[in-house]
Amino acid sequence: MKRLSEGIYPGLLCALLIMVLMGLPGECFPTVVTFWEWLGPDKIIHSLLFAALAFLSLWGFRKKIHSEPHKRNMIFILTFFITIAYGGVTEILQKHLFVNRYGSILDFLADAIGCVLGLSVFILCFKKKLKK
């Protein structure tokens, strides 16, 4: 009998990396001066990190997604909600726990956009296998 935990490692490792990066003190990052600097790198990094989290979470379960089509939608929906919830948790931790960091609704929005991006890239990469 296959265990659920077999496919969890890629997403779990990515989640751990995100938590470490989100927990670094604020002075480890460049100071943002203008609106475009504020909008650019930080939000892009948030989106890319959460795109990777969503993609790797699905990639870890790709065999189950392909071999058990009746569970496919559930896996996609759970990945979507867990990834977005994780983005919310990281923002709350940044606001209340991590040193010299602050939580931001715009960072959370960038996390959510990244989640959708990661799911979309996974679907595009495995489109042929998903049709079976």
Side-chain angles (χ1 to χ4, degrees), residues 4-104:
L4 177 64
S5 64
E6 290 176 1
I8 203 166
Y9 297 114
L12 191 60
L13 289 174
C14 188
L16 181 62
L17 174 65
I18 289 171
M19 189 60 71
V20 168
L21 291 173
M22 298 290 180
L24 290 174
E27 55 268 358
C28 292
F29 301 98
T31 304
V32 177
V33 179
T34 68
F35 173 76
W36 291 112
E37 288 176 355
W38 170 82
L39 181 63
D42 181 53
K43 302 305 177 263
I44 291 170
I45 290 169
H46 274 266
S47 292
L48 291 176
L49 286 171
F50 280 84
L53 178 60
F55 182 88
L56 290 172
S57 295
L58 288 173
W59 187 76
F61 290 103
R62 70 192 177 286
K63 290 179 183 175
K64 185 174 283 299
I65 289 170
H66 299 316
S67 66
E68 301 179 41
H70 60 283
K71 293 184 179 179
R72 184 177 299 154
N73 289 339
M74 181 188 68
I75 292 171
F76 278 100
I77 290 168
L78 282 173
T79 300
F80 176 77
F81 284 114
I82 289 170
T83 306
I84 287 183
Y86 191 70
V89 167
T90 61
E91 293 308 314
I92 291 168
L93 289 174
Q94 283 183 341
K95 181 175 182 176
H96 297 290
L97 183 66
F98 297 145
V99 177
N100 294 328
R101 298 301 302 258
Y102 65 94
S104 165

